[in-house]
Amino acid sequence: MTAAERELPLAVELRPPPDVESALMALASKPHSLLLDSAMRDPRLGRYSFLTADPFEFFTVPADQPGGLERLEHNLKQWHAPVLSDLPPFQGGAAGLLSYDLGRSLERLPRPRIDEFQTPAMAIGLYDTVLAFDHVEHRAWLISQGFPETDPRQRLLRAQHRIEQFQAWLRGDSRNSAGSEVVAAANNRLPAEELAPQLVVAGPKGLTSNFSADGYRAAVERAIDYICAGDVFQVNLAQRLLYPAVDDSLALYLRLRQCNPAPFSGWFDLGDSQIVSASPERFLSVRDGHVEARPIKGTRRRTSRAEADLFAGDDLLQSEKDRAENVMIVDLLRNDLSRVCEPDSVRVTQLCALESFQFVQHLVSVVEGTLAAGQTAIDLVRAAFPGGSITGAPKIRAMEIIAQLEPTARGAYCGSLGYFGFDGSMDLSILIRTITAARGWWQFPVGGGIVAQSSPDREYEETWHKAEGLLRALR
């Protein structure tokens, strides 16, 4: 091994470390900038944030086109590289969006009836340079792999150049003028008459939904009918909220991370649209062959009164309906992980624990395993995508029912945002509490799991509890 090879990836600590918001504003105008942001400072889940931009390759895959995961897999094999063990785990790799409709390339599923925004199945960048934050140690590093150069000396020279380039970007606010994005979006806004039928709902003026209150309750009742008929045990059902964009998506994200911090937040610029997320849920992570999933099922609204929060949390812990909802998805995930993990390594290490976020409390379980020899993070995605917590069980039949009951495509919602490291690691969120900014609109579905014991009124009310943090960030 040459001296140059031993020095890669190249890492430079930034002293003092920049704050995440200022760094994002400095890099947001660069091509396909991406922030994977642990805005909720939880040392278990919120230790690291990662900011990157200007990938050396970027590709999108339409929702009906197969081959996206194969292309991603080829790229990861081509650019395989180690990481520095004493630094945050993402040190370059493939990162971006896997939308809910990627599932149609993995299984035979019906198309959504209406898809006005045409979110791609995948939007992935190959990022050679990352700004990594450690919120526990209050430190930050620029880390560069030097790709796409392959000659060791040229890789080292490129890594040095890229770190200097990112440092220059961070020194000055190179963001586009405030509001330019929304002006462009307003000039190219998809006309309301080209949208799926929308109904005015309570909330900020201009907010609409693809369901009326009665329509959503009727859809819940239809889902319960399917459950009682033995088709499924659980179905996730969402209403899509829609709001005309009033400023740029970066300003929207900065408001969202302040009013609704979450451990798997993110902002991603696809070019013609942006993902704005405050997700509390990890889909899957892989580190040194160890797999973790953290499914969320069961929700109660938080209040400003501690006593009421304690009562609601205890009610959630004692709820047979919510526990059954969670356990069903845990069983589904155990089955999904068993397809690619070592026999007997799949285990439930946390079952229905109460975790609190800004506006809601959830029941959260943890399923872990060890990848079998020869299996990769991409194989795990093939086995488990999309996450069972946002489909239902059995998964394929639940997705067929979702396509029947929901009028519009989910797009990014219930897909994943995250990274595939050049070293074989992976960390993906599930895109709930997520806004997609596209064609002059902000769309953000909100939903929940329907089981036999579900009350249509309470299920509809729960969607609004989950929307509360998003609604507060709109203006």
Side-chain angles (χ1 to χ4, degrees):
M1 182 180 292
T2 68
E5 286 174 312
R6 285 195 298 270
E7 294 179 45
L8 289 167
L10 188 64
V12 173
E13 185 169 0
L14 302 182
R15 295 176 176 158
D19 66 86
V20 173
E21 291 192 0
S22 296
L24 175 60
M25 291 177 66
L27 295 184
S29 64
K30 303 307 175 186
H32 304 299
S33 52
L34 167 65
L35 173 65
L36 303 173
D37 187 14
S38 294
M40 189 177 80
R41 301 291 185 252
D42 181 334
R44 298 170 305 140
L45 303 176
R47 178 170 183 173
Y48 303 115
S49 293
F50 304 100
L51 176 61
T52 186
D54 193 27
F56 63 86
E57 182 179 335
F58 185 83
F59 66 91
T60 61
V61 179
D64 291 313
Q65 181 177 309
L69 287 177
E70 288 72 21
R71 180 171 179 178
L72 175 58
E73 187 172 43
H74 172 78
N75 281 324
L76 290 171
K77 289 179 178 177
Q78 180 180 3
W79 304 109
H80 183 77
V83 294
L84 301 171
S85 60
D86 55 343
L87 294 183
F90 180 47
Q91 301 175 24
L97 170 70
L98 310 179
S99 81
Y100 175 82
D101 292 307
L102 175 64
R104 301 213 306 273
S105 71
L106 303 175
E107 303 287 348
R108 293 177 61 89
L109 295 165
R111 294 182 180 183
R113 283 177 279 157
I114 303 171
D115 187 3
E116 318 101 305
F117 295 100
Q118 297 289 309
T119 303
M122 296 177 63
I124 298 291
L126 297 178
Y127 295 93
D128 60 302
T129 304
V130 177
L131 174 55
F133 299 85
D134 184 329
H135 300 301
V136 171
E137 295 190 3
H138 306 290
R139 300 170 71 185
W141 298 262
L142 277 168
I143 306 167
S144 183
Q145 294 281 357
F147 292 138
E149 296 291 348
T150 56
D151 173 80
R153 176 168 173 76
Q154 293 303 313
R155 272 189 66 193
L156 180 59
L157 290 174
R158 174 174 165 84
Q160 292 170 335
H161 166 72
R162 291 287 279 171
I163 285 177
E164 292 169 0
Q165 186 178 44
F166 271 68
Q167 287 175 319
W169 289 344
L170 290 168
R171 282 195 293 268
D173 184 359
S174 58
R175 181 187 168 195
N176 293 331
S177 60
S180 60
E181 177 189 300
V182 75
V183 171
N187 291 337
N188 297 284
R189 178 170 290 152
L190 184 68
E193 57 269 20
E194 295 184 25
L195 298 169
Q198 295 291 124
L199 300 128
V200 175
V201 289
K205 184 178 180 180
L207 183 70
T208 60
S209 172
N210 60 358
F211 279 103
S212 66
D214 287 343
Y216 188 84
R217 295 185 189 105
V220 172
E221 290 173 351
R222 187 74 183 101
I224 294 171
D225 289 341
Y226 278 117
I227 294 167
C228 293
D231 280 43
V232 284
F233 304 110
Q234 181 179 161
V235 177
N236 185 281
L237 186 64
Q239 63 164 323
R240 185 190 73 181
L241 303 178
L242 198 64
Y243 192 71
V246 297
D247 58 5
D248 64 90
S249 62
L250 179 58
L252 173 66
Y253 177 72
L254 294 176
R255 291 196 299 273
L256 184 62
R257 82 185 299 268
Q258 291 296 324
C259 73
N260 194 25
F264 300 102
S265 298
W267 185 84
F268 180 39
D269 183 11
L270 284 71
D272 56 0
S273 62
Q274 294 81 38
I275 307 301
V276 176
S277 181
S279 175
E281 184 169 1
R282 168 177 280 153
F283 174 33
L284 295 166
S285 70
V286 177
R287 183 89 59 84
D288 297 325
H290 176 258
V291 176
E292 181 188 81
R294 295 182 57 85
I296 288 176
K297 276 295 167 192
T299 303
R300 292 292 186 275
R301 185 183 187 185
R302 296 196 67 187
T303 72
S304 58
R305 294 179 295 134
E307 298 87 348
D309 265 5
L310 288 171
F311 179 83
D314 186 64
D315 178 66
L316 181 56
L317 286 168
Q318 300 302 319
S319 168
E320 292 185 8
K321 178 261 184 187
D322 290 289
R323 186 177 182 87
E325 193 177 322
N326 193 296
V327 169
M328 287 178 196
I329 302 307
V330 167
D331 286 342
L332 187 155
L333 271 165
R334 289 173 61 200
N335 182 68
D336 284 349
L337 267 59
S338 293
R339 296 163 63 185
V340 293
C341 286
E342 293 282 359
D344 303 323
S345 74
V346 178
R347 59 200 181 277
V348 180
T349 55
Q350 173 178 300
L351 185 63
C352 297
L354 186 69
E355 296 188 5
S356 296
F357 300 88
Q358 191 74 14
F359 295 103
V360 293
Q361 300 178 82
H362 287 306
L363 294 182
V364 183
S365 295
V366 178
V367 185
E368 299 181 63
T370 303
L371 281 180
Q375 300 293 322
T376 68
I378 300 296
D379 295 318
L380 179 60
V381 170
R382 288 192 182 101
F385 189 88
S389 66
I390 45 73
T391 59
K395 185 185 294 185
I396 304 308
R397 183 61 182 132
M399 293 175 74
E400 292 172 345
I401 294 170
I402 288 168
Q404 177 187 340
L405 296 181
E406 293 185 8
T408 53
R410 288 186 166 186
Y413 173 69
C414 291
S416 293
L417 187 71
Y419 70 79
F420 298 82
F422 288 134
D423 64 329
S425 63
M426 179 181 76
D427 203 354
L428 300 175
S429 72
I430 285 187
L431 285 172
I432 54 176
R433 320 293 142 77
T434 294
I435 299 170
T436 301
R439 302 197 66 183
W441 297 94
W442 294 340
Q443 56 169 320
F444 47 108
V446 284
I450 312 303
V451 294
Q453 306 98 314
S454 288
S455 158
D457 287 337
R458 290 192 66 176
E459 295 296 344
Y460 183 64
E461 182 180 331
E462 183 177 307
T463 67
W464 290 103
H465 294 165
K466 292 173 177 175
E468 187 169 349
L470 302 173
L471 294 172
R472 291 193 182 197
L474 292 185
R475 290 183 179 275

